[in-house]
Amino acid sequence: MIDKDEKTDILDALAYAVSELKEKMDPRLIPEVGSNIVYAKKGARSPADVAGVDGRIVTLRKSVHPVGECAFGASDHVARIVLTAMRFDPEIRSAANIRFTETLAALLEDMSFTVCWFDREHEPPGIQTMDWGVASCCKEDVPDMIIDRGAVGKEPMIRILGPDPSSVANTIIMLSSRITIMEI
């Protein structure tokens, strides 16, 4: 159960990060499936304990457009990423997904972020990709970024992790400022 003050604080922090992304994120970073940014309550155990953007963040007329409001339970996919990371480090309570390209991956490594890759071809049967992929990258330490090159019917993706949505949004905005003149 989330107390009212904690719920308000989480939703306010997430809404602020979303507004910053809307204003400063390069829309080329949004994948075909859309982006989301989430913020989990302390001790979160399920997607219902994680706030995200209802309907995701998409590109609309070449700009960043959050489809809905910030709400608890609004994300399943990105929520599972942060829930898995929290099992290894409970201070990592926020995550977002952005588009993958080889150029972006090289830029992230040049920017001194810790990056971990997983290969969907090695995924064991009967387990969800995000649970397995994120856990396989967090065994030693939770990285700043988790990347995969996708698979048949699965878009390649970069996942950004951090303690709160402002830090995750700031990483995306910093990356956006580096690609303004680059072809990604």
Side-chain angles (χ1 to χ4, degrees), residues 1 15 50 85 87 98 103 148 156:
M1 187 77 178
V50 182
R87 291 194 337 244
I98 62 171
T103 302
D148 80 276

Side-chain angles (χ1 to χ4, degrees), residues 3-77:
D3 80 32
K4 191 174 181 179
D5 289 340
E6 182 182 14
K7 181 177 181 178
T8 299
D9 290 347
I10 288 169
L11 290 171
D12 287 350
L14 186 60
Y16 178 76
V18 170
S19 70
E20 288 288 289
L21 290 173
K22 184 176 178 181
E23 183 181 328
K24 300 173 185 171
M25 178 181 186
D26 189 313
R28 295 178 295 166
L29 292 177
I30 297 175
E32 290 296 320
V33 297
S35 287
N36 211 330
I37 183 169
V38 301
Y39 193 20
K41 77 175 197 96
K42 291 179 182 175
R45 296 281 182 234
S46 78
D49 297 328
V50 182
V53 179
D54 197 16
R56 301 185 186 183
I57 301 168
V58 299
T59 303
L60 181 65
R61 291 185 216 103
K62 297 185 180 181
S63 66
V64 175
H65 179 76
V67 174
E69 300 296 318
C70 296
F72 281 87
S75 170
D76 181 64
H77 182 77

Side-chain angles (χ1 to χ4, degrees), residues 109-178:
E109 301 229 5
D110 287 346
M111 293 170 72
S112 299
F113 288 109
T114 56
V115 177
C116 180
W117 296 75
F118 68 86
D119 185 342
R120 288 175 182 261
E121 289 187 20
H122 296 108
E123 179 182 343
I127 190 166
Q128 292 187 310
T129 302
M130 285 309 98
D131 297 339
W132 166 79
V134 172
S136 69
C137 282
C138 294
K139 288 179 181 171
E140 301 296 318
D141 195 23
V142 176
D144 299 316
M145 316 281 169
I146 298 174
I147 303 175
D148 80 276
R149 286 188 171 89
V152 175
K154 300 292 183 180
E155 187 175 7
M157 201 68 59
I158 298 170
R159 297 149 194 95
I160 300 168
L161 300 165
D164 56 63
S166 286
S167 65
V168 171
N170 286 338
T171 298
I172 294 169
I173 292 164
M174 185 182 352
L175 185 57
S176 293
S177 72
R178 300 279 177 102

